[in-house]
């Protein structure tokens, strides 16, 4: 919709003029057409030109009684739109509409719920701003007269001395963004706001900062209506010709009512990096924790990111696109939920994160799929990741997401590949990979290739991972979260893989291939991890292969203490599409050296040369204890050996020190093979077991779990849900 000219008196400094007027309502045209008119001066999405009049624009979408519909506009009457009403069912005898559709929901009682985001991107056609402003209408006929639900702020701005405007931010003691509701009231709407306390800021972001020179331009920002708005601050973010970012701000401490359907106008301000206008204060961001560098543009990023030293702080204030990779990053970056797109020669954001640096709240995206890995990874331990090749000691990567994909046919350089980071010696927390990864590599993982740090917490992989084997004559490891956890002291908790893992080729692998839904191999404890992704092998050589729903290989030799797997579960099927020898699979762990597995289960079908419900093979000199564990599923093997299938363990090496399974349960028809047992039993149709650490939920008549499992740990109960099959 478009806005035309209005007039009003602007209050000195922050005095507001309240403006509101209406267009005449429309008559019902026919029973199968709605006519939609604007009732307020600023009643919706608007193109703001010199004439500031609101009107509809073809394609504007609104929500009517739950459905989304696009309007049609007659150019001669552009304050009115029409829409076919066929198939739209009234609530009672009324229709309720809200605009724009993407910000609103309508309940059966006519209540409209609006969500204003804390940030909105500036849009324009030429010099005309397009504004997301919210309207609502209710009618018992086919005429819908739209009323403005928000408060509009009108901000006239000029710039000088090469200064560019990056963002306009308003804040107050009350919420100016977030969710509020409106209900029909007479011919209009009554708005109800609820302060959540965390949406007190609303920002107009300029995707490309603009230089206005001496020409005044009006900017509009709708905010949530509120009574008695206090400590209202208007802040302009500007960037000078050297890419330094400053802010110019002014605060009004006395209370002001932001009334629904009204506009508040401000005095014109001329913004310059040299001095603050009268009544405003200027802030320079120097990289401290209190005043972090603000980055709005790629040019500013290229200036700030390489130069920021240890202990400095950066806030990403806008989505940006970069075309080169920063060699060393030493500072602390808060992405604030923004996205950095890698374009041109940039295949990674950083080559290395220096010790004590941090990156948080960031999404990485790549234009297209990477098909060639840069040769310079050889200088970084042959590691590659989209956020960083490597991350040193005491680094923290948290709340980061990769949307980048990789498909490398002949990788000769990156032996270690991770969706987020090639190799981390720090902490990786709450990170997600959504990109597909396909390559030959010695280590290939959804989040990291090798994790050799402190904490791997609550990470998730949603992208398909295809291993094409190693690139050198060594072991090949592949995992949904990490190919390898190379630390005996790492805390690994709460990681989830939801995507398929595929082994399609052995490459140059000579010493075995290890695939795990969570980790290819690990030396650490593993707690509360879950895999639901299918593990598939179509590779046909006789190289030894070990596949585990959670872990491919537990590396914990006689020189280390036994590690623990606790409260882990796998519901992803394990499939081998060819009848080839030396392929061993298990619901939880492919191969074990020294490990205690407790309170964990596999609920999956397994097709392999040899298979087991919990552990496929115990290694030489290993010690293994399996307690309170459960396997349920169909197991199919191609080997004709007597020990080809095991409900709990498939093969125990002759020199295994100790191997025990206590209170473990499995389907009838299987037996615990080559394993010392203690009170293990096949599942009956119905049973309930009591006692600390026992499975306490009954099974249904098919031997499937009835509503999941409850694992008791002392006084704590952890519920692990399993879907019906």
């Amino acid at each position: 919709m478009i806005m035309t000219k209005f007039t009003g008196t602007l209050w000195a400094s922050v005095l507001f003029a309240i403006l509101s007027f209406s267009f005449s309502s429309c008559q019902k045209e026919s029973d199968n057409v709605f006519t939609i008119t604007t009732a307020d001066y600023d009643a919706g999405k608007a193109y703001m030109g010199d004439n500031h009049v609101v009107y509809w624009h073809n394609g504007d979408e609104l929500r009517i009684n739950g459905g989304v519909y696009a309007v049609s506009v007659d150019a001669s009457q552009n304050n009115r739109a029409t829409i076919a009403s066929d198939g739209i069912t009234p609530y009672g005898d009324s229709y309720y509409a809200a605009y724009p559709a993407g910000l609103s929901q309508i309940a059966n009682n006519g209540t409209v719920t609006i969500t204003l985001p804390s940030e909105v991107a500036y849009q324009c056609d030429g010099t005309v701003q397009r504004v997301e402003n919210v309207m609502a209408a209710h009618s018992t006929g086919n005429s819908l007269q739209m009323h403005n639900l928000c408060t509009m702020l009108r901000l006239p701005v000029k710039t000088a001395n090469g200064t560019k405007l990056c963002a306009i931010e308003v804040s107050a003691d009350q919420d100016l963004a977030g969710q509020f509701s409106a209900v029909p009231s007479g011919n209009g709407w009554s708005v109800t706001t609820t302060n959540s306390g965390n949406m007190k800021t609303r920002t107009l972001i300029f995707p490309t900062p603009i230089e206005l020179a001496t020409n005044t331009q009006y900017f509009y920002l709708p905010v949530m209506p509120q009574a008695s708005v206090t400590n209202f601050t208007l802040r302009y973010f500007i960037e000078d010709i050297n890419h330094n970012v400053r802010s110019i701000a002014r605060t009004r401490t006395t209370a002001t009512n932001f009334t629904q359907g009204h506009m508040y106008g401000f005095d014109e301000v001329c913004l310059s990096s040299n001095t603050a206008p009268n009544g405003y204060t200027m802030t320079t961001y120097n990289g401290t924790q209190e005043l972090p560098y603000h980055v709005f543009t790629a040019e500013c990023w290229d200036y700030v990111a390489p130069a920021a030293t240890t202990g400095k702080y950066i806030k990403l204030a806008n989505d940006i696109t970069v075309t080169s990779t920063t060699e060393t990053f030493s500072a602390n970056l808060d992405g604030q939920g923004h996205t950095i797109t890698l374009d041109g020669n940039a295949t990674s954001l950083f080559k290395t994160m220096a010790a004590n640096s941090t990156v948080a709240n960031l999404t990485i995206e790549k234009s297209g799929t990477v098909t060639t890995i840069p040769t310079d990874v050889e200088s970084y331990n042959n590691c590659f990741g989209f956020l960083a090749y490597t991350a040193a000691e005491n680094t923290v990567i948290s709340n980061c997401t990769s949307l980048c994909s990789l498909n490398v046919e002949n990788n000769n350089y990156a032996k270690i590949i991770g969706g987020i980071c090639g190799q981390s010696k720090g902490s990786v927390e709450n990170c997600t990979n959504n990109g597909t990864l396909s390559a030959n590599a010695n280590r290939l993982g959804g989040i990291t290739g090798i994790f050799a740090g402190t904490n791997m917490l609550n990470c998730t992989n949603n992208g398909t991972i295809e291993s094409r084997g190693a690139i050198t004559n060594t072991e090949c490891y592949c995992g949904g979260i990490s190919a390898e956890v190379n630390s005996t002291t790492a805390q690994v908790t709460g990681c989830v893989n939801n995507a398929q893992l595929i082994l399609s080729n052995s490459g140059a692998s000579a010493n075995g291939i290890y695939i795990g839904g969570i980790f290819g191999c690990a030396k650490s404890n593993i707690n509360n991890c879950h895999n639901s992704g299918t593990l598939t092998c179509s590779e046909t050589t006789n190289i030894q292969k070990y596949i585990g729903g959670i872990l491919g290989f537990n590396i914990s030799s006689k020189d280390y203490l036994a590690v623990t797997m606790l409260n882990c579960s796998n519901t992803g099927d394990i499939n081998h599409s060819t009848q080839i020898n030396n392929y061993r699979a298990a619901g939880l762990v492919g191969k074990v050296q020294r490990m205690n597995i407790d309170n964990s289960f596999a609920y999956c079908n397994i097709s392999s040369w040899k298979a087991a419900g919990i552990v496929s093979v115990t290694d030489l000199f290993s010690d293994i204890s399996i307690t309170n564990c459960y396997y349920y599923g169909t197991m199919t093997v191609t080997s004709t050996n007597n020990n080809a299938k095991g409900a709990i363990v498939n093969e125990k090496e002759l020199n295994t020190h100790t191997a025990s399974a206590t209170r473990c349960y499995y389907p009838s028809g299987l037996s615990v093979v080559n394993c010392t047992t203690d009170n293990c039993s096949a599942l009956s149709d119905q049973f309930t077991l009591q006692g600390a650490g026992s499975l306490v939920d009954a099974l249904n008549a098919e031997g499937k779990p009835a509503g999941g499992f409850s694992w008791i740990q002392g006084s704590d109960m952890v519920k692990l849900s399993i879907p019906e099959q």
Side-chain angles (χ1 to χ4, degrees):
M1 295 204 319
I2 300 196
M3 226 178 222
T4 97
K5 190 129 187 159
F6 49 78
T7 60
T9 304
L10 297 180
W11 190 52
S13 298
V14 203
L15 181 64
F16 305 119
I18 299 177
L19 304 175
S20 180
F21 59 84
S22 301
F23 296 103
S24 60
S25 62
C26 257
Q27 299 300 314
K28 176 179 173 183
E29 293 188 342
S30 70
D31 288 339
N32 64 345
V33 173
F34 283 123
T35 59
I36 309 159
T37 57
T38 56
D40 298 331
Y41 80 93
D42 56 351
K45 186 185 292 183
Y47 291 94
M48 308 284 190
D50 292 336
N51 288 323
H52 312 303
V53 164
V54 177
Y55 61 85
W56 290 101
H57 181 265
N58 264 323
D60 282 338
E61 287 186 343
L62 59 135
R63 188 177 297 273
I64 302 178
N65 290 6
V68 176
Y69 306 90
V71 303
S72 177
V73 181
D74 181 346
S76 64
Q77 293 181 296
N78 49 30
N79 70 303
R80 183 182 75 172
T82 59
I83 186 171
S85 60
D86 297 337
I88 304 176
T89 304
Y91 293 152
D93 60 350
S94 298
Y95 300 95
Y96 300 95
Y99 176 89
L103 299 177
S104 58
Q105 294 292 330
I106 301 175
N108 287 346
N109 62 1
T111 299
V112 172
T113 301
I114 304 300
T115 303
L116 285 182
S118 58
E119 289 186 0
V120 59
Y122 174 79
Q123 302 178 63
C124 72
D125 293 342
T127 60
V128 181
Q129 183 186 359
R130 183 166 181 150
V131 179
E132 292 283 350
N133 196 20
V134 181
M135 296 183 297
H138 58 97
S139 174
T140 54
N142 284 49
S143 178
L144 298 172
Q145 191 175 50
M146 308 297 292
H147 293 261
N148 175 38
L149 298 183
C150 289
T151 300
M152 180 70 79
L153 306 182
R154 180 177 183 260
L155 307 158
V157 181
K158 295 191 293 187
T159 61
N161 301 317
T163 300
K164 293 183 178 180
L165 180 60
C166 300
I168 302 174
E169 176 189 278
V170 293
S171 62
D173 286 344
Q174 289 77 20
D175 287 347
L176 300 180
Q179 194 172 89
F180 64 99
S181 60
V183 296
S185 177
N187 293 324
W189 290 79
S190 175
V191 172
T192 301
T193 62
T194 302
N195 276 19
S196 64
N198 58 359
M199 300 292 283
K200 296 178 180 179
T201 299
R202 183 142 157 88
T203 306
L204 178 63
I205 292 280
F206 296 86
T208 301
I210 58 176
E211 183 178 353
L212 304 173
T214 57
N215 300 320
T216 301
Q217 185 162 332
Y218 293 91
F219 299 99
Y220 299 85
L221 185 60
V223 296
M224 184 187 297
Q226 290 281 13
S228 298
V229 175
T230 55
N231 290 319
F232 177 82
T233 298
L234 169 62
R235 188 181 306 275
Y236 298 96
F237 290 92
I238 59 174
E239 183 179 289
D240 66 18
I241 57 176
N242 295 317
H243 308 299
N244 297 304
V245 174
R246 299 177 174 87
S247 68
I248 295 173
R250 186 169 186 172
T251 299
R252 175 183 171 87
T253 57
T254 56
T256 303
N257 292 330
F258 277 6
T259 306
Q260 171 210 345
H262 293 180
M263 187 182 74
Y264 295 80
F266 292 76
D267 276 351
E268 180 183 283
V269 62
C270 183
L271 304 175
S272 170
S273 58
N274 296 336
T275 183
N278 185 37
Y280 287 77
T281 57
M282 179 179 288
T283 300
T284 299
Y285 298 100
N286 57 14
T288 63
Q289 190 168 6
E290 295 76 19
L291 296 171
Y293 298 122
H294 282 53
V295 173
F296 285 91
T297 64
E299 293 80 9
C300 185
W301 173 262
D302 291 340
Y303 173 74
V304 170
T309 56
T310 301
K312 292 295 185 179
Y313 291 81
I314 301 171
K315 276 192 174 182
L316 187 63
N318 200 2
D319 294 346
I320 63 172
T321 298
V322 300
T323 56
S324 62
T325 299
T326 299
E327 185 165 343
T328 301
F329 182 74
S330 303
N332 303 281
L333 171 65
D334 182 358
Q336 298 195 108
H338 289 291
T339 298
I340 295 181
T341 299
L342 307 173
D343 201 4
N345 293 325
T347 54
S348 181
L349 187 60
F350 309 120
K351 293 181 182 178
T352 188
M353 288 178 59
N356 302 305
S357 61
T358 66
V359 178
N361 309 315
L362 180 68
T363 296
I364 298 293
E365 190 171 23
K366 173 63 181 172
S367 301
T369 298
V370 172
T371 57
T372 303
I373 291 178
T375 59
D376 64 3
V377 299
E378 292 183 300
S379 301
Y380 298 89
N381 297 323
N382 297 97
C383 296
F384 176 83
F386 288 107
L387 178 67
Y389 293 178
T390 63
E393 292 83 358
N394 299 318
T395 54
V396 179
I397 302 172
S398 61
N399 298 305
C400 291
T401 298
S402 171
L403 305 178
C404 309
S405 292
L406 177 145
N407 186 357
V408 180
E409 291 286 348
N410 295 296
N411 169 32
N412 296 315
Y413 303 104
K415 299 177 183 177
I416 302 163
I417 298 174
I420 299 286
C421 181
Q423 176 174 299
S424 170
K425 295 182 179 180
S427 291
V428 182
E429 303 172 6
N430 302 302
C431 290
T432 301
N433 172 56
N434 289 329
T436 60
L437 305 174
S438 179
N440 57 314
N442 297 355
R443 309 288 188 271
L444 178 62
I447 303 297
T448 60
I450 293 179
F451 181 71
T454 307
N455 296 315
M456 173 74 79
L457 306 177
N458 304 319
C459 292
T460 302
N461 176 61
N462 297 317
T464 298
I465 299 175
E466 179 188 11
S467 171
R468 296 173 178 157
I471 64 175
T472 57
N473 292 326
T474 185
E475 299 88 356
C476 173
Y477 297 117
C478 177
I481 300 300
S482 185
E484 179 179 350
V485 178
N486 190 15
S487 169
T488 59
T489 59
Q491 298 297 312
V492 178
T493 301
C495 294
V496 175
N497 174 57
N498 297 314
Q500 184 179 25
L501 271 66
I502 303 168
L503 175 63
S504 62
N505 198 298
S506 63
S509 308
N511 298 330
I513 299 173
Y514 302 88
I515 310 292
I518 303 298
F519 303 116
C521 70
K523 296 179 179 179
S524 68
N525 295 333
I526 302 172
N527 298 324
N528 299 299
C529 292
H530 176 68
N531 173 64
S532 63
T534 300
L535 282 66
T536 301
C537 177
S538 58
E539 194 276 335
T540 59
T541 68
N542 278 323
I543 292 173
Q544 297 283 350
K545 292 172 282 292
Y546 300 89
I547 316 296
I550 297 295
L551 177 63
F553 186 15
N554 151 241
I555 301 177
S556 185
S557 68
K558 61 184 179 181
D559 297 324
Y560 298 104
L561 294 174
V563 299
T564 297
M565 177 181 290
L566 179 66
N567 295 335
C568 291
S569 57
N570 171 48
T571 57
D573 289 345
I574 303 174
N575 302 315
H576 195 295
S577 60
T578 58
Q579 292 187 2
I580 195 72
N581 295 344
N582 296 325
Y583 179 81
R584 296 170 173 86
L588 292 181
V589 186
K591 187 176 183 179
V592 164
Q593 287 189 332
R594 301 188 72 194
M595 193 172 214
N596 301 319
I597 303 175
D598 196 7
N599 290 356
S600 298
F601 67 83
Y603 186 82
C604 62
N605 300 316
I606 303 174
S607 172
S608 180
W609 177 57
K610 292 185 178 181
I614 303 298
V615 172
S616 182
V617 176
T618 64
D619 204 1
L620 291 170
F621 308 109
S622 66
D623 296 301
I624 179 170
S625 171
I626 306 173
T627 308
N628 306 323
C629 289
Y630 171 88
Y631 167 70
Y632 183 85
T634 300
M635 195 178 293
T636 305
V637 298
T638 58
S639 172
T640 58
N641 292 347
N642 292 331
N643 63 349
K645 289 194 290 186
I648 305 301
V649 176
N650 169 224
E651 294 181 76
K652 185 185 76 170
E653 295 286 357
L654 293 176
N655 292 319
T656 296
H657 285 179
T658 61
S660 65
T662 305
R663 295 190 303 278
C664 293
Y665 310 99
Y666 49 91
S668 301
L670 290 176
S671 60
V672 181
V673 177
N674 284 337
C675 180
T676 301
T677 64
D678 179 13
N679 299 325
C680 296
S681 61
L683 296 172
S684 59
D685 289 342
Q686 296 283 343
F687 70 92
T688 301
L689 298 170
Q690 300 294 338
S694 295
L695 178 66
V696 297
D697 276 13
L699 303 183
N700 63 22
E702 289 79 30
K704 298 179 182 179
F709 291 102
S710 296
W711 305 102
I712 298 178
Q713 301 173 271
S715 61
D716 298 326
M717 180 175 286
V718 179
K719 188 80 169 178
L720 299 176
S721 177
I722 310 175
E724 283 286 337
Q725 291 188 345

